[in-house]
Amino acid sequence: MRWFLIILLLPYSLAHLNVYLSSSEVWRLFGLTAELYYVRDGLINFYALNFVVPVPATIEELHFTWQSLARRPLPYKIDVQVMSNSEAMDIPAVRPNISTEGTVPTEPTTWKVDLPCTRTVAAEVEINIMLNVSTGSSSTTLHFRRRKICLKEPRRPAVRVDSISHASTSADIFYAGAGCAGGAILIAAVAAVACRARARKLRRARSDEQDAHAFLPDSSCKSAASYTSYRRPTSLPAAAAAEERARDLQQRIAELTIQRCRVRLRSVAMEGTFGRVYKGTYADEDGREQEVLVKTVAEHASQVQVSLLLQEGCMLYGLHHERVLSVLGVSIEDQTAPFLLYPWNNGWKNLKQFLLSCRGVTVGGATAGAPPPPPLTTQHVVRMALHALDGLSYLHSQHVLHKDIAARNCIVDENLRVMIADNALSRDLFPADYHCLGDNENRPIKWLALESLSKRQFSPAADVWALGVLLWELTTLAHQPYAEVDPFEVAAYLRDGYRLQQPANCPDELFAVMAYCWAMSPDDRPTLPQLQIFLRDFHTQLTRFV
């Protein structure tokens, strides 16, 4: 079965003409087996023309297919303009069987536009391909806009389209691309939803399950430093690596140790089976008090649970950024449960609890009968996503993988400013978000990228996948992702090309960003700088209409 990506056809006729992207071209750009029509039977798809399609660094030419449906060829003119960062790209060329002027043939014909990057600078180049077609008494100009990524590095071989299986499934159009609302905004990349038979392999993790790592494949990371949760490259045997991590944790705890007598607990903010979160105060040596949040465990907690609390709580130790909440101190005394202290403000809330309260769901720690917060607008959602992006970008710049990006592991203040926190106690406080697949380890199954779920491979691209799920949580006010899918079936569900559905009232452009994060191959997912550009552009467009 062949599917057609026809988002919206407005009643504007361009004689009898077809202009479209073939299924192989749509596969190259979006990882989707379908055809995308710009003009079909003479009707112009203005919604599709408003796409600013991102072109990956591995693709150096664009393919268009056209056909005159009239009984005669239609005269045309083609012009290709580089709109920005011209130093990153040479003059594009139209080839191979057409010139810049001629007639549209009566048989389906494919023509190409070369996009030769100079490779002297790294930049995103805006390109406008203008096709003017005459119909006798009038003429119409179509604009195909692209954003080409040019890298300052040797060429990487592109994936051969004819070497990839195009087996059609009912999921192939699940992420059929969405349009833009009033002009060219951000992206129209539609995520890859069909499984590739020859997916490019990530670098294998060389540490054990807790510290598996991979390298960032794009130009935003130039060093060879590995990314781990504890910022230590591990090439040691498993036993030696575990001993190294234990020494590292002990050193961190020694540096963070504070006296228990300086901590005053006031009230329970959250409570699980064995974990508790208190609001309290901490007095420093000069007697100055500050509000703190205290994470600890109950008396019946096992040693494994205590170890996890300390290990995960110290994950962000030593990091200082306005979008990252790092541990302030640790209190460990004999025969008592350890305390982890975090700087706190009375206006801060757990992001997942806040989102649930926005739709009237009573959550732990919330005041019964309290009015829900004001409704979130799309501008709010995009701004909050940008805050999380900034925090995650900082973590990656410090060679730290979070591995559990989700609303439950973020906080938000009264001004809707979001900070990323660690995942200490999250398994206990949000048990519905973690599942064990028979391996004796609770994992955030429905937030994990496919390679993390099936192969335990973690990389910055895996954090990007989880960030897409976080964006979905923001737009749905913390609905459970894949609520209808059994945790044991999630991996097969993702391999078959299925993804989260577009939330109600979610703009097409915003869902396109999410879908772009869920590409099957890690190399096809956007980098954090690219996502920042897309979302900032979209936020700017939204504010213009307010």
Side-chain angles (χ1 to χ4, degrees):
M1 181 181 294
R2 172 171 289 183
W3 298 92
F4 299 98
L5 299 183
I6 304 176
I7 302 170
L8 178 63
L9 291 178
L10 299 183
Y12 187 94
S13 179
L14 182 57
H16 298 285
L17 178 70
N18 282 342
V19 181
Y20 60 96
L21 303 184
S22 67
S23 59
S24 61
E25 178 70 0
V26 173
W27 178 268
R28 285 202 318 149
L29 292 174
F30 304 136
L32 179 67
T33 305
E35 290 180 341
L36 174 60
Y37 272 84
Y38 292 107
V39 183
R40 187 182 188 193
D41 296 331
L43 293 179
I44 299 177
N45 185 347
F46 288 105
Y47 227 46
L49 284 171
N50 280 330
F51 282 161
V52 181
V53 178
V55 181
T58 55
I59 295 179
E60 298 184 345
E61 62 183 23
L62 303 175
H63 301 174
F64 295 85
T65 304
W66 62 5
Q67 178 187 11
S68 172
L69 302 179
R71 296 182 179 179
R72 59 182 177 81
L74 298 174
Y76 74 84
K77 293 182 180 179
I78 295 178
D79 186 23
V80 184
Q81 296 181 347
V82 177
M83 309 301 293
S84 67
N85 297 315
S86 57
E87 69 279 3
M89 178 173 289
D90 293 327
I91 299 176
V94 180
R95 66 177 184 88
N97 52 345
I98 68 169
S99 60
T100 55
E101 294 187 34
T103 56
V104 180
T106 56
E107 295 295 328
T109 305
T110 297
W111 49 276
K112 304 176 183 179
V113 177
D114 283 332
L115 303 178
C117 293
T118 62
R119 303 192 179 272
T120 58
V121 295
E124 292 191 355
V125 183
E126 301 286 343
I127 301 159
N128 185 18
I129 303 168
M130 294 176 289
L131 171 63
N132 181 279
V133 180
S134 299
T135 60
S137 59
S138 62
S139 64
T140 301
T141 300
L142 306 175
H143 296 266
F144 309 102
R145 284 173 287 188
R146 301 291 186 266
R147 181 183 288 120
K148 175 70 172 78
I149 299 173
C150 288
L151 300 180
K152 187 179 179 181
E153 61 179 22
R155 286 180 171 81
R156 292 187 292 173
V159 176
R160 286 179 55 86
V161 175
D162 57 5
S163 69
I164 301 173
S165 172
H166 295 317
S168 179
T169 71
S170 61
D172 282 344
I173 60 167
F174 189 75
Y175 293 108
C180 61
I185 15 186
L186 90 142
I187 67 166
V190 184
V193 295
C195 203
R196 295 192 178 181
R198 296 182 181 178
R200 288 161 289 186
K201 293 183 180 179
L202 290 174
R203 295 179 184 264
R204 293 285 185 182
R206 292 182 297 174
S207 62
D208 63 7
E209 296 176 357
Q210 293 296 326
D211 289 316
H213 68 273
F215 294 96
L216 185 65
D218 64 81
S219 61
S220 64
C221 177
K222 296 300 185 183
S223 70
S226 63
Y227 283 73
T228 76
S229 284
Y230 307 101
R231 289 172 289 144
R232 286 202 179 213
T234 355
S235 57
L236 303 172
E243 184 179 350
E244 174 72 11
R245 285 196 309 277
R247 285 198 301 267
D248 188 22
L249 182 59
Q250 291 172 1
Q251 179 182 352
R252 291 173 184 226
I253 292 174
E255 295 172 353
L256 285 167
T257 297
I258 60 174
Q259 293 176 305
R260 179 71 56 92
C261 62
R262 298 183 182 275
V263 181
R264 188 182 303 275
L265 304 181
R266 284 207 309 259
S267 60
V268 176
M270 296 180 67
E271 187 170 11
T273 302
F274 63 85
R276 292 195 187 102
V277 181
Y278 291 90
K279 293 180 181 178
T281 59
Y282 168 69
D284 61 19
E285 295 179 356
D286 296 327
R288 293 189 297 264
E289 283 196 349
Q290 68 176 101
E291 299 288 328
V292 294
L293 197 73
V294 180
K295 291 185 180 181
T296 186
V297 292
E299 295 77 9
H300 61 273
S302 69
Q303 188 59 44
V304 172
Q305 292 160 344
V306 172
S307 177
L308 271 178
L309 171 68
L310 294 173
Q311 189 177 40
E312 295 173 345
C314 292
M315 180 179 69
L316 305 182
Y317 162 65
L319 302 181
H320 303 283
H321 191 271
E322 62 178 348
R323 300 298 175 214
V324 174
L325 182 69
S326 183
V327 65
L328 177 67
V330 177
S331 174
I332 297 181
E333 296 185 359
D334 292 338
Q335 309 302 321
T336 60
F339 281 6
L340 292 182
L341 274 65
Y342 299 82
W344 196 249
N345 182 298
N346 282 329
W348 292 355
K349 298 179 181 177
N350 178 274
L351 179 56
K352 179 159 187 169
Q353 289 188 325
F354 170 76
L355 294 173
L356 289 170
S357 67
C358 285
R359 56 185 171 99
V361 177
T362 303
V363 291
T367 304
L376 294 181
T377 65
T378 303
Q379 291 95 321
H380 292 149
V381 168
V382 175
R383 189 165 65 247
M384 293 165 76
L386 281 168
H387 293 166
L389 262 172
D390 290 342
L392 188 57
S393 295
Y394 170 73
L395 294 185
H396 287 184
S397 73
Q398 300 300 307
H399 308 296
V400 176
L401 292 181
H402 192 284
K403 300 184 182 181
D404 197 1
I405 294 294
R408 63 184 170 272
N409 295 323
C410 296
I411 63 170
V412 61
D413 68 10
E414 63 274 12
N415 295 317
L416 300 182
R417 291 176 295 212
V418 173
M419 300 175 69
I420 293 178
D422 58 54
N423 62 336
L425 294 183
S426 289
R427 293 175 182 83
D428 184 48
L429 300 175
F430 300 94
D433 292 353
Y434 294 84
H435 300 89
C436 178
L437 301 184
D439 52 5
N440 201 30
E441 179 184 356
N442 279 330
R443 294 186 289 160
I445 300 298
K446 298 183 178 182
W447 279 260
L448 291 178
L450 181 58
E451 70 275 7
S452 303
L453 178 58
S454 59
K455 301 178 182 179
R456 297 180 182 270
Q457 292 179 345
F458 290 90
S459 68
D463 275 352
V464 167
W465 178 298
L467 191 70
V469 182
L470 170 60
L471 186 52
W472 188 88
E473 288 185 278
L474 289 172
T475 56
T476 62
L477 300 181
H479 275 278
Q480 193 73 7
Y482 309 107
E484 74 287 356
V485 182
D486 185 276
F488 286 89
E489 302 298 327
V490 170
Y493 189 84
L494 297 177
R495 286 193 196 97
D496 288 343
Y498 293 96
R499 299 292 186 270
L500 292 167
Q501 295 184 6
Q502 181 171 358
N505 302 321
C506 173
D508 293 335
E509 299 86 351
L510 196 55
F511 184 63
V513 173
M514 301 179 205
Y516 198 17
C517 293
W518 302 326
M520 191 74 71
S521 170
D523 291 340
D524 291 338
R525 294 170 206 155
T527 63
L528 295 180
Q530 290 168 351
L531 286 175
Q532 286 173 323
I533 292 173
F534 298 155
L535 289 178
R536 283 171 183 161
D537 287 348
F538 186 39
H539 187 265
T540 300
Q541 293 292 334
L542 289 172
T543 55
R544 289 177 182 173
F545 297 99
V546 176

